[in-house]
Amino acid sequence: MSSPTTRESTREAFVQTELAGMPRRLFRASPSRLLAWVDCPRRYRMQYLDRPAPAARSQRAHTSVGVAVHNALRDWWDLAPGERTPQAGAELVRTSWIETGFRDVAQSLEWRTRAQDQVTAYLHDVDPGEQPLGIERTVSLKTSVLALQGRVDRLDDRPDGLAVVDYKTSRVAPTDDDARTSLPLALYAAAAWKMFRRRCVRVELHHLPSGSVAVHEHTGDSLKRKIDEAESIARDARRAEQDYAEFGTDSGRFPASVGPLCQWCDFRAHCPAGQAAGPEKSGWAALEAPVAVPRGDLRD
C-alpha cells in the first residue's frame, strides 16, 4: 500500500491543478502508457503509479532481440554513407547483442545469427544515401486534454510527405490492418505533421523476419479520430489516477484484466489474479511459436 506521505503529496498536486480559474493540467503520457491502461489497469498502476514500484521480472529474450535489432538499425545511420553496408548492419547486431532471457548460450547465439541475417537482408533494400529526417526521433503533440510524447523508429522525408516507419521483429508479420488500427503510429504521424509542418499520413510496419511491409495511408479525419481515442483513454486514466491520489492501492479503479496475457506480465508476481490465469511463460517462449504478448512487452 502507498504510504500516507506519498498519497498526501500526490493528492495535493492534483488539488492544486483544480483551483478555480486555473487551466486543467494536461495528462502527460506516451502511446505505450496509454495502451498499458487499455491492456490492464492493475499493471498500469504497478508500472506507473506505485512507489516504490514493484520489482518487474527480468527482460525476456524476444525483447532482447528487438532492442538489439532496433539499436543496430539506429546506429547504422550514424556511419559514414560509404560505410553503410548490409554487412556493417550485421556487425552492429553483434556488438549490440543482449544475452538476457534466453534458455542458454546456444539459443542466444542461434538468435543472434538469425537477427544478423534479417538485418543484412533488410539493409540490402535500403538506400544508404537517403538520410531519414529522423532516427529514434522524439515527437510530441499537445491537445486540450493530452500532452503526448513518443519516439519514432524512423521518420522518412519523401516527395509526397513524411512517413512513419516502425520496425517489427515478432514472429508474426503485421498486416495492413495492423498498420491502420495502430494508435501509436497514428499519434506519431499527427505529431510529426504538427512539428515539421509537413503532411504526414503514411505509416509503415517493417517486419524484418519476413521482409514484408504493412502500410496504411491515413487522412486528416482518421488521424483526428485516433487523437480523440487517445484523449478518451487519457480521461479514463486521469480519473483513475485522481482516485489513486485519494485511496492509494485501495482504489477500486485498477482491476486486473485477467486473461492469457497474464502469463507474460512483468508484474504477475505481485498480482494473485494474474497468477491464477495460468503458469508463467518462460523467458524464451515467444521465440518458439507465434504468440500474442503484451504490447508493453514489445519495442514499439
Side-chain angles (χ1 to χ4, degrees):
M1 181 180 296
S2 302
S3 69
T5 300
T6 301
R7 292 201 304 271
E8 182 62 33
S9 60
T10 306
R11 184 187 309 120
E12 182 178 341
F14 275 115
V15 169
Q16 288 176 351
T17 64
E18 301 298 327
L19 295 176
M22 294 185 67
R24 189 175 181 86
R25 184 171 63 96
L26 296 180
F27 187 82
R28 297 186 175 277
S30 64
S32 60
R33 180 167 181 153
L34 295 177
L35 291 180
W37 171 257
V38 173
D39 283 345
C40 181
R42 178 72 52 79
R43 175 177 177 167
Y44 179 94
R45 193 204 75 202
M46 290 189 285
Q47 184 172 357
Y48 293 106
L49 302 182
D50 288 351
R51 294 295 180 268
R57 78 174 310 283
S58 60
Q59 182 168 283
R60 296 178 186 274
H62 67 272
T63 302
S64 295
V65 172
V67 171
V69 168
H70 277 75
N71 288 347
L73 292 174
R74 175 199 65 199
D75 295 342
W76 190 78
W77 289 104
D78 289 335
L79 301 174
E83 298 175 356
R84 295 173 187 165
T85 65
Q87 293 71 30
E91 176 61 14
L92 287 170
V93 171
R94 187 189 68 79
T95 57
S96 64
W97 192 247
I98 301 168
E99 301 283 353
T100 305
F102 295 93
R103 181 180 57 241
D104 50 33
V105 173
Q107 188 186 50
S108 174
L109 290 174
E110 174 192 351
W111 277 89
R112 190 183 75 184
T113 300
R114 288 193 191 189
Q116 288 178 295
D117 291 344
Q118 291 169 10
V119 167
T120 299
Y122 177 77
L123 290 175
H124 271 296
D125 295 325
V126 175
D127 184 346
E130 289 288 337
Q131 184 72 33
L133 181 61
I135 296 293
E136 298 274 357
R137 174 66 191 242
T138 297
V139 294
S140 59
L141 176 70
K142 286 186 178 181
T143 73
S144 61
V145 175
L146 183 65
L148 181 110
Q149 187 173 87
R151 189 172 58 185
V152 180
D153 287 346
R154 197 175 89 207
L155 187 62
D156 287 355
D157 188 357
R158 299 179 185 173
D160 56 348
L162 304 182
V164 172
V165 173
D166 195 52
Y167 303 127
K168 292 300 179 187
T169 58
S170 57
R171 293 292 297 272
V172 179
T175 64
D176 289 348
D177 196 54
D178 292 323
R180 179 184 65 82
T181 59
S182 170
L183 180 63
L185 291 184
L187 295 177
Y188 294 150
W193 190 343
K194 185 174 181 63
M195 287 178 62
F196 295 100
R197 289 174 164 68
R198 285 207 59 202
R199 180 176 173 84
C200 183
V201 295
R202 186 178 178 89
V203 296
E204 299 179 353
L205 295 169
H206 291 205
H207 187 242
L208 273 79
S210 67
S212 65
V213 177
V215 179
H216 181 67
E217 292 273 352
H218 278 285
T219 64
D221 287 341
S222 68
L223 290 180
K224 177 62 169 59
R225 288 193 293 271
K226 286 296 186 181
I227 292 173
D228 291 344
E229 178 185 346
E231 288 183 334
S232 177
I233 297 170
R235 291 188 187 97
D236 289 344
R238 184 203 291 274
R239 284 191 288 268
E241 290 193 16
Q242 289 173 330
D243 200 66
Y244 181 87
E246 182 72 21
F247 300 106
T249 54
D250 291 330
S251 170
R253 289 182 176 268
F254 298 90
S257 297
V258 179
L261 294 184
C262 292
Q263 297 176 280
W264 300 90
C265 182
D266 290 342
F267 297 96
R268 62 175 276 125
H270 312 283
C271 180
Q275 294 170 28
E280 182 176 17
K281 295 292 185 179
S282 69
W284 56 89
L287 303 180
E288 298 179 332
V291 292
V293 297
R295 287 177 287 190
D297 201 29
L298 298 173
R299 172 67 182 266
D300 285 328

